[in-house]
Amino acid sequence: MHGIKKMNKAIRILRDYVNKDINIDQLAILLHLADNEPEPVSYSTLSKLMDNSKASISRNIEMLSGHYLKDPITGEWVDTGLGLVKTSPSPHDSEDCVAFLTDRGTKVVWILNELIK
């Protein structure tokens, strides 16, 4: 049960660090990106690895990066994303994008890695 306690601690630390909830698909994306560091990973590759649609991958990456919503009261755009991932168009496929960890994302993954050693 020692491993379960470490996982619980890792999830608590992750939630505290990002100060928002993170779902299991978003965590899986972070781990896949960390596993391929420093190389970016395409949305289509993540889709295959996770057996999930590219649309779902895109939505989750949007939440992991910058996700802007318009405040209904002030009318200002507010970034509700986590700032853990950056994206860019794929250099190999004009219909695909690639994702990679930001410095903050790398720090989060490093913290998790140290916890589960």
Side-chain angles (χ1 to χ4, degrees):
M1 293 305 225
H2 185 65
I4 298 296
K5 287 181 183 181
K6 282 185 174 184
M7 286 176 56
N8 267 336
K9 186 175 181 182
I11 290 169
R12 275 195 316 275
I13 287 173
L14 180 60
R15 281 190 175 148
D16 289 345
Y17 185 81
V18 299
N19 202 23
K20 295 182 182 175
D21 283 336
I22 186 166
N23 69 38
I24 195 75
D25 285 337
Q26 293 164 354
L27 182 57
I29 289 169
L30 285 177
L31 297 176
H32 284 301
L33 295 178
D35 194 38
N36 286 290
E37 276 285 295
E39 297 298 316
V41 181
S42 71
Y43 286 26
S44 56
T45 298
L46 288 169
S47 176
K48 290 175 189 169
L49 288 169
M50 295 174 57
D51 194 27
N52 225 329
S53 71
K54 274 179 62 174
S56 176
I57 298 297
S58 180
R59 280 190 303 276
N60 280 304
I61 287 177
E62 190 175 271
M63 295 306 294
L64 288 168
S65 56
H67 181 67
Y68 291 88
L69 296 175
K70 196 170 193 175
D71 185 304
I73 297 170
T74 66
E76 293 183 24
W77 289 95
V78 179
D79 184 1
T80 61
L82 300 176
L84 303 174
V85 174
K86 281 193 174 184
T87 64
S88 67
S90 171
H92 308 292
D93 183 351
S94 62
E95 295 182 10
D96 205 0
C97 291
V98 295
F100 51 95
L101 295 174
T102 62
D103 289 342
R104 184 172 189 225
T106 301
K107 184 176 179 180
V108 167
V109 171
W110 184 85
I111 289 168
L112 294 176
N113 189 52
E114 290 301 307
L115 277 174
I116 57 176
K117 279 186 176 179

